[in-house]
Structure formats: structure tokens, C-alpha cells
Amino acid sequence: GTLVVISGTLPAGISDKLLKKICLAIRQAGGRVALDTSARFSLEDMAEIAPWMIKPNRGELEALAHRELPDIPEQVRFCQELRRYGVEHCLVSMGDSGILYTGEEGVYQVMVPDVKVISAVGSGDYCLAGFVLSQFTGKTLVQSLKTAASFGTAACLTEGTSPPTYIATANILQQVCCERLEGILS
């Protein structure tokens, strides 16, 4: 039941193929994987890995789909398709458009306040960390999504990979809106 988070650019010497083997070993040992990497996995790879969570940005989601996903309904359709490949939670970071989430509990869009971005480096990692932390401390899905958005947005207010401040994160959390998207595919 251990969750292993694999995020960031793959280090030298770690190929997509080797990372897949690592993910499969984790799964075979009874662990779960959260992925937010530069690895290029196919849908078949996703089915074998069956990650607990993936956190692509829109470009990475389109690369996985091998096509453009020009609007939210198309993005949602593909994320829901990923559920058939074993992905439990798909958290798509959309920059200043917030987060798009699909999972067993539904489809949500999380909107963030406008901020003056100093650096977006690492913001996706903080978004992932906020979601994982919230999920594993018993928060609801909506609380987890809001925390993820506030962590990721607050990280944009710091230089490089410096962590977001508590005050910035708390202030942004108060401004985050989370809306369940009903009938988006109708």
C-alpha cells in the first residue's frame, strides 16, 4: 500500500523503459505509483503500470493522447479513457486556468486567482505534493484539489524551486474555487 511518487525530469541513465520496470516492481511489491515525469509512456504502458495518479500538464496530456485536445470536453474524454487503463486520479495542471481533475468521484475544474508569476519551475511538483498530502491526511477530494491548486499557485510566487510560503499558500487557498463539471460530455 506504500505510495511512491516519481516526479521531475528523468536523471541521466534512467530511460523510459527502465522507469517502467521500476514502476512495475513497485506495483508487484504491493505499492502504488504517482507519476509526474518527463517519461513518454504509451497507453499500454499505463495499463501495465496502473498508476494511482498521474499529473500531466496539458502538453504532456496531449503527448500521451498522440493528438491535440483543444477544449475541456476533449481533455475530459481522454482523462476518462485513461481510467480504463488503470489511472485512478488524473490531475491536469493548466497554468493560470487551474486544474482539471477526473477520477472515480467525478470531474472537477479548480480555478486559481491571478498571480504575478515569478517562476513556474516546480509548481507542478508542489501541486502534486498538495494533492498527495491532503489525500493521505484524510481530506475530502475537494479539499485535496484546492490544496493542490494553492500549493502549485503559491510556488509560482518564489524564485526557482524555492518552496511556497505558508502565508501565500493560505491566502491563495481562500481564493481557490472548485466546481464539479456536470454533463460536460453531453
Side-chain angles (χ1 to χ4, degrees):
T2 298
L3 177 67
V4 178
V5 175
I6 301 172
S7 66
T9 303
L10 295 181
I14 304 292
S15 65
D16 294 352
K17 186 176 178 179
L18 179 55
L19 180 59
K20 179 182 171 184
K21 286 182 181 181
I22 292 168
C23 291
L24 292 174
I26 293 166
R27 184 168 177 224
Q28 290 167 354
R32 297 181 289 173
V33 176
L35 290 172
D36 179 20
T37 74
S38 60
R40 299 290 182 160
F41 289 130
S42 67
L43 292 176
E44 292 75 22
D45 293 332
M46 284 292 170
E48 287 182 66
I49 296 167
W52 174 75
M53 174 189 183
I54 62 170
K55 204 241 28 88
N57 61 35
R58 184 173 164 190
E60 292 164 339
L61 188 70
E62 289 177 336
L64 182 58
H66 296 289
R67 66 181 188 272
E68 287 187 17
L69 302 168
D71 55 29
I72 289 180
E74 283 296 314
Q75 294 156 19
V76 168
R77 277 187 199 93
F78 182 67
C79 290
Q80 289 177 325
E81 182 180 332
L82 289 173
R83 291 190 39 75
R84 291 194 300 271
Y85 289 92
V87 176
E88 290 183 50
H89 303 277
C90 186
L91 193 69
V92 183
S93 53
M94 313 273 287
D96 61 1
S97 295
I99 295 171
L100 178 64
Y101 169 86
T102 60
E104 185 177 315
E105 292 183 51
V107 177
Y108 290 85
Q109 184 163 20
V110 186
M111 299 306 297
V112 297
D114 288 332
V115 298
K116 182 177 170 138
V117 175
I118 295 171
S119 172
V121 174
S123 61
D125 296 325
Y126 286 108
C127 175
L128 172 68
F131 185 82
V132 170
L133 173 68
S134 296
Q135 285 287 283
F136 284 85
T137 56
K139 304 292 188 218
T140 67
L141 176 62
V142 169
Q143 290 170 322
S144 298
L145 293 171
K146 286 182 171 186
T147 300
S150 66
F151 275 36
T153 304
C156 292
L157 303 175
T158 63
E159 281 292 331
T161 58
S162 298
T165 66
Y166 174 80
I167 291 173
T169 304
N171 284 338
I172 290 169
L173 181 61
Q174 298 304 311
Q175 301 173 64
V176 171
C177 299
C178 187
E179 176 184 1
R180 185 176 181 128
L181 299 180
E182 300 288 340
I184 184 122
L185 300 177
S186 302

